[in-house]
């Protein structure tokens, strides 16, 4: 998508600190971190929100979780624990309309919302 920030990051038109990349997924540090570890894991396919995930994306979404698992182990924060958040739509405060998985950790995180 032409005017999507994350598509621009994927195409390297906008710089980011890339943590992991392959043909299906990219992961980079959030520009506005909410915790010492705040990585965004983003499927390269432009899916706007969780509501736009279709049956065809089942493998891709499962793969995203495999990559989160891999990053957590390789970056050394798996054992301490971490949180994965997907915002969806207006009430969640989703700002970037390209599905992404916030991976937060590196400290004792605040109270759970749910
Ligand atoms: P959300 O509210 O779930 O849509 O979160 C979007 C996140 O994306 C927010 O935490 C800030 C981050 N973000 C927005 N623009 C950029 C950018 O240009 N670079 C990076 N690295 N992160 C960005």
């Amino acid at each position: 998508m032409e005017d999507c920030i994350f598509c621009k990051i994927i195409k390297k038109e906008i710089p980011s600190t890339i943590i992991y990349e392959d043909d299906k997924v990219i992961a980079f540090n959030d520009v506005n971190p909410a915790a010492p570890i705040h990585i965004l894991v983003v499927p390269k396919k432009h899916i706007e929100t969780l509501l736009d995930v279709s049956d065809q994306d089942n493998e891709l979404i499962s793969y995203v979780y495999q990559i989160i698992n891999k990053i957590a182990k390789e970056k050394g924060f798996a054992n301490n624990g971490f949180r994965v958040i997907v915002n969806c739509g207006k009430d969640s405060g989703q700002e970037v309309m390209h599905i992404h998985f916030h991976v937060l950790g590196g400290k004792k995180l605040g109270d759970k919302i749910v």
Side-chain angles (χ1 to χ4, degrees):
M1 290 288 273
E2 268 173 29
D3 53 359
C4 168
I5 291 172
F6 288 174
C7 285
K8 287 183 179 167
I9 287 176
I10 289 162
K11 287 189 277 181
K12 314 286 179 354
E13 291 171 7
I14 293 179
S16 66
T17 305
I18 296 173
I19 303 294
Y20 175 88
E21 182 171 21
D22 63 26
D23 58 330
K24 293 191 275 294
V25 168
I26 190 167
F28 50 87
N29 283 334
D30 194 295
V31 77
N32 187 19
I37 294 164
H38 189 167
I39 298 168
L40 300 173
V41 182
V42 183
K44 289 190 173 179
K45 178 178 177 184
H46 183 88
I47 300 169
E48 290 203 351
T49 78
L50 187 145
L51 293 174
D52 301 303
V53 171
S54 74
D55 287 352
Q56 291 175 336
D57 302 315
N58 285 346
E59 260 184 49
L60 178 61
I61 300 302
S62 170
Y63 185 69
V64 166
Y65 280 98
Q66 288 175 42
I67 295 305
I68 292 170
N69 179 325
K70 180 182 166 71
I71 291 170
K73 287 173 181 163
E74 288 184 1
K75 294 290 171 191
F77 61 86
N79 286 344
N80 281 345
F82 57 94
R83 188 174 291 163
V84 179
I85 294 173
V86 180
N87 288 320
C88 179
K90 190 162 50 79
D91 279 359
S92 76
Q94 182 179 1
E95 289 171 11
V96 179
M97 301 307 279
H98 182 139
I99 194 169
H100 51 280
F101 296 69
H102 294 258
V103 178
L104 297 147
K107 69 169 189 180
K108 181 90 176 152
L109 297 167
D111 287 346
K112 292 179 184 174
I113 293 170
V114 288

